[in-house]
Amino acid sequence: MKILIIGAGGREHAIAWKLSQSKRPVDIFIAPGNAGTASDFTNVDIDVMDFDHLVKFALSEHIELVIVGPEDPLSAGIVDAFQAVDIPIFGPNQKSARLEASKDFTKQFLNRYQIPTAQSFTTDNYLEAKDYISQSALPIVIKADGLCKGKGVVICQTFEEADATLKDMLLDQSFGTSGSQVVIEDYLEGHEQSLLCFVSNNRLVPMDTAQDYKKAFDGDLGPNTGGVGVYSTPDNEDDVLQAKINAILGQIEAGLVAEDFAFYGILFIGFMIQDGEPMVLEFNVRFGDPETEVLLPRLESDLLTVFEKTLDGTLDSADLTWSNQAAVGVVLYSKGYPGPYDNHQLIQALPDDALIFHNGTSRDEKGQLLTNGGRVLTPVALADDLQTARQAVYDVVAEIHGKSLTYRTDIALL
């Protein structure tokens, strides 16, 4: 089967890697891909937002299945473009993708169906926003409404910090149109949990959970990033918490059906577990990155079959079989990320026998491996317990040499 994966990061590398293990023969193309995907698959030099050329390529190559990785093309309607020419595509249509493209849209959806979430206020007016935070308890969370690659969320500890964040987003337009409206939320205390679900005609089929790390520095300090580490273990939630999460999944399904979403693809639910109560922080409508890099190595089912059953509406929880092993991934990222960083820096060495997904890499004219982005590499290790997997992945990290690379040392420990 000929498959086209759209994207250029570690998520897309992991999807391709897992699909290559299918029992059926597959021929995998990745647009545009990176240096890691080029080693085992066929990269196609087409931008993820160039829908016309992507469709033309798919038609000319007789592509039988398209999988979309990143959020930008999904929110812009890439699924609708491929559906218009009858090419099967895994991902939500533009209407469904609004659940990630607008945090306010999601908040309204959650509130309509009484799904637990933080109290919030949405505005595009700086003075209204300033007045609201002046009457709110601290800390408080300010989110740019639109897509910001995981970086449009600020937890403000003081009124002065909140005011500066509002000025930055609403007046200085630091996130462009994505921050022209803000969602201000009550701060929730607890531990975060990521739950990815396959969505098959509005039915949610959950995967095992994953825990990612958003802060750039050890101790959960520093600015928010797209994610710099992650782990996944066999689910062992207590029955009471699991029942509450299952109830929320049912409420989400009911809302999707009631509003005629026709959702096929992935729904990524970010939970905060506060005093034993799950609260929805956010929705994403695609595979998480770096969550995908630890979930797919733990998935024992044939991913191609899972994709096909999702699209034909027959996927069931029995179709997902998970390893009993734990998986840990550590993201090596460019020094300075998520702020300014030097790009196209030499990576001196990679171990040959390790599982390493490439997030942002390229090669120069000499074939040398270079950094090509903020997040660069995600080595992953599996083991029978979490701490053994953690030690194994950090042993791999120690073998990766690049002067511009850094990483957190407390993934799966904190």
Side-chain angles (χ1 to χ4, degrees):
M1 174 181 278
K2 283 191 167 186
I3 300 171
L4 172 63
I5 300 172
I6 295 172
R11 162 184 50 214
E12 291 77 26
H13 193 179
I15 293 170
W17 171 84
K18 188 63 181 179
L19 284 171
S20 71
Q21 299 171 13
S22 175
K23 296 176 182 178
R24 287 175 282 168
V26 291
D27 189 6
I28 298 173
F29 300 83
I30 306 179
N34 57 45
T37 59
S39 298
D40 299 303
F41 312 104
T42 304
N43 283 358
V44 182
D45 189 19
I46 305 175
D47 188 82
V48 299
M49 300 301 290
D50 189 349
F51 296 178
D52 287 344
H53 282 93
L54 287 168
V55 169
K56 288 178 182 176
F57 173 82
L59 289 169
S60 66
E61 287 290 334
H62 305 290
I63 296 295
E64 297 165 86
L65 176 63
V66 179
I67 298 132
V68 186
E71 60 270 30
D72 286 340
L74 289 170
S75 67
I78 192 170
V79 169
D80 308 70
F82 276 90
Q83 288 175 339
V85 293
D86 295 321
I87 297 177
I89 182 166
F90 183 89
N93 59 21
Q94 191 170 23
K95 176 182 176 179
S96 301
R98 285 196 70 194
L99 289 167
E100 178 170 3
S102 171
K103 297 178 183 67
D104 179 60
F105 181 82
T106 293
K107 274 292 181 183
Q108 292 183 41
F109 177 88
L110 294 172
N111 290 330
R112 278 196 298 276
Y113 297 97
Q114 293 82 51
I115 297 168
T117 189
Q119 182 175 317
S120 67
F121 174 72
T122 300
T123 183
D124 60 1
N125 183 282
Y126 164 70
L127 294 177
E128 284 185 1
K130 183 177 180 180
D131 181 63
Y132 181 83
I133 63 171
S134 70
Q135 302 174 55
S136 301
L138 295 170
I140 197 162
V141 182
I142 300 176
K143 300 180 177 181
D145 181 56
L147 299 174
C148 301
K149 300 190 183 302
K151 300 186 239 346
V153 178
V154 182
I155 300 171
C156 303
Q157 302 294 333
T158 66
F159 175 81
E160 291 74 20
E161 185 183 2
D163 185 41
T165 299
L166 292 174
K167 288 178 179 176
D168 185 50
M169 291 185 184
L170 293 175
L171 300 182
D172 298 337
Q173 299 183 331
S174 59
F175 292 107
T177 57
S178 291
S180 61
Q181 178 170 267
V182 296
V183 177
I184 305 172
E185 287 186 348
D186 289 354
Y187 176 74
L188 299 177
E189 189 88 48
H191 71 273
E192 290 190 40
Q193 182 173 291
S194 301
L195 178 63
L196 280 75
C197 302
F198 290 99
V199 187
S200 183
N201 193 21
N202 299 327
R203 287 188 308 103
L204 274 58
V205 182
M207 306 184 203
D208 271 5
T209 57
Q211 171 72 54
D212 78 326
Y213 293 74
K214 285 283 194 288
K215 295 291 187 179
F217 308 137
D218 284 358
D220 256 357
L221 301 175
N224 270 350
T225 70
V228 292
V230 64
Y231 70 86
S232 176
T233 59
D235 278 350
N236 56 359
E237 299 290 358
D238 66 79
D239 292 341
V240 174
L241 177 59
Q242 191 59 58
K244 292 175 180 178
I245 291 174
N246 289 341
I248 289 174
L249 298 185
Q251 290 171 282
I252 294 169
E253 287 180 337
L256 295 175
V257 171
E259 301 191 13
D260 297 320
F261 267 89
F263 194 132
Y264 295 84
I266 297 289
L267 184 66
F268 175 126
I269 308 169
F271 283 108
M272 178 68 76
I273 312 300
Q274 178 174 266
D275 299 325
E277 299 295 329
M279 309 277 282
V280 175
L281 293 176
E282 64 175 353
F283 285 157
N284 294 330
V285 297
R286 34 74 192 184
F287 278 106
D289 192 343
E291 290 88 351
T292 305
E293 286 94 306
V294 293
L295 285 170
L296 292 187
R298 292 193 56 243
L299 179 66
E300 295 182 341
S301 307
D302 188 318
L303 184 59
L304 178 55
T305 300
V306 171
F307 282 152
E308 290 175 332
K309 287 191 171 188
T310 300
L311 292 177
D312 68 21
T314 63
L315 187 71
D316 186 80
S317 58
D319 295 313
L320 303 182
T321 303
W322 299 94
S323 166
N324 288 323
Q325 290 190 308
V328 180
V330 176
V331 178
L332 287 88
Y333 61 93
S334 297
K335 292 176 181 177
Y337 171 81
Y341 54 85
D342 292 330
N343 213 5
H344 308 301
Q345 302 298 299
L346 183 65
I347 301 170
Q348 282 93 351
L350 291 182
D352 293 328
D353 56 350
L355 179 59
I356 301 175
F357 298 116
H358 290 230
N359 300 84
T361 59
S362 61
R363 293 194 184 274
D364 63 15
E365 63 279 358
K366 298 178 183 178
Q368 298 180 112
L369 188 63
L370 306 176
T371 66
N372 189 31
R375 294 186 293 177
V376 180
L377 298 164
T378 303
V380 174
L382 288 88
D384 290 338
D385 63 84
L386 184 62
Q387 290 311 309
T388 303
R390 180 181 183 277
Q391 183 59 55
V393 78
Y394 275 108
D395 287 345
V396 175
V397 168
E399 296 184 57
I400 299 173
H401 303 292
K403 291 181 180 178
S404 68
L405 297 177
T406 189
Y407 56 90
R408 281 183 59 162
T409 65
D410 59 355
I411 303 303
L413 182 64
L414 188 65

